[in-house]
């Protein structure tokens, strides 16, 4: 996690130096660094199962989908978590976990989602660490976020 914290701290410092202050600017910065446009799309309630947000990448762009029924604060956390996977270069070579299958409707088509892992793994911790740091940065706070505030922000 030491390397991840250095990468995240460096990224947040670059955001500050560049005057980034909004989610849209954060997404644009991640898009530029990743080399593809990143789009955000809210989805209506569905059979999401344990998923709260997910990435879908094709040759042209990355789309982050998130749930409409969540609070704006939780949506921001979920979006930043997914951005964290892009920034941290998450290896998605993990096998599909069949118990994490969900279905959502995207533009009139029902899609069967299959997640790789929801456990507390190094990859997920890195994405969460990025999300906490990015949300704290966007809210303009440099003070540490307590565990309760991390969970209920």
């Amino acid at each position: 996690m030491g390397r991840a914290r250095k990468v995240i701290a460096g990224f947040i410092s670059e955001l500050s130096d560049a005057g980034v202050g909004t989610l849209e600017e954060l997404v644009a910065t991640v898009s530029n660094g990743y080399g593809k446009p990143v789009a955000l799309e809210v989805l209506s309630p569905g059979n999401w199962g344990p998923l709260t947000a997910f990435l879908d990448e094709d040759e042209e762009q990355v789309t982050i989908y998130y749930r409409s029924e969540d609070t704006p604060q939780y949506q921001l956390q979920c979006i930043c978590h997914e951005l964290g996977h892009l920034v941290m270069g998450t290896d998605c070579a993990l096998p599909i976990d069949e118990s994490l299958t969900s279905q959502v409707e995207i533009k009139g088509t029902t899609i069967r989602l299959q997640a790789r892992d929801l456990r507390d793994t190094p990859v997920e911790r890195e994405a969460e660490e990025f999300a906490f740091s990015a949300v704290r940065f966007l809210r303009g706070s440099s003070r540490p976020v307590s565990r309760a505030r991390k969970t209920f922000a």
Side-chain angles (χ1 to χ4, degrees):
M1 193 61 143
R3 181 198 74 81
R5 286 199 175 124
K6 288 179 184 175
V7 169
I8 293 166
F11 186 84
I12 298 297
S13 179
E14 289 175 18
L15 292 177
S16 181
D17 292 346
V20 170
T22 67
L23 177 61
E24 292 78 15
E25 292 169 337
L26 173 60
V27 170
T29 301
V30 172
S31 294
N32 289 337
Y34 194 70
K36 281 186 185 180
V38 176
L40 304 179
E41 188 161 333
V42 65
L43 294 177
S44 55
N47 182 17
W48 281 68
L51 301 178
T52 56
F54 64 95
L55 290 170
D56 181 43
E57 183 173 3
D58 60 30
E59 292 177 8
E60 297 174 16
Q61 76 173 19
V62 175
T63 304
I64 296 174
Y65 295 96
Y66 58 99
R67 300 185 310 192
S68 63
E69 65 264 29
D70 290 326
T71 65
Q73 295 87 352
Y74 192 66
Q75 289 174 344
L76 177 62
Q77 179 72 23
C78 293
I79 290 166
C80 287
H81 175 97
E82 298 304 327
L83 289 171
H85 284 301
L86 298 177
V87 169
M88 300 308 296
T90 295
D91 178 10
C92 290
L94 297 170
I96 297 294
D97 182 340
E98 289 295 331
S99 71
L100 300 177
T101 300
S102 303
Q103 290 185 347
V104 296
E105 188 172 308
I106 301 174
K107 298 177 183 171
T109 303
T110 300
I111 305 292
R112 182 173 183 244
L113 299 175
Q114 292 182 302
R116 299 187 188 287
D117 203 343
L118 295 180
R119 294 170 298 172
D120 184 17
T121 62
V123 164
E124 293 303 318
R125 277 195 300 274
E126 286 180 356
E128 249 342 73
E129 187 76 25
F130 177 86
F132 294 139
S133 297
V135 169
R136 189 168 49 241
F137 174 79
L138 290 174
R139 290 185 174 167
S141 173
S142 59
R143 67 182 186 204
V145 177
S146 71
R147 182 137 179 92
R149 285 185 47 225
K150 285 179 184 177
T151 304
F152 300 107

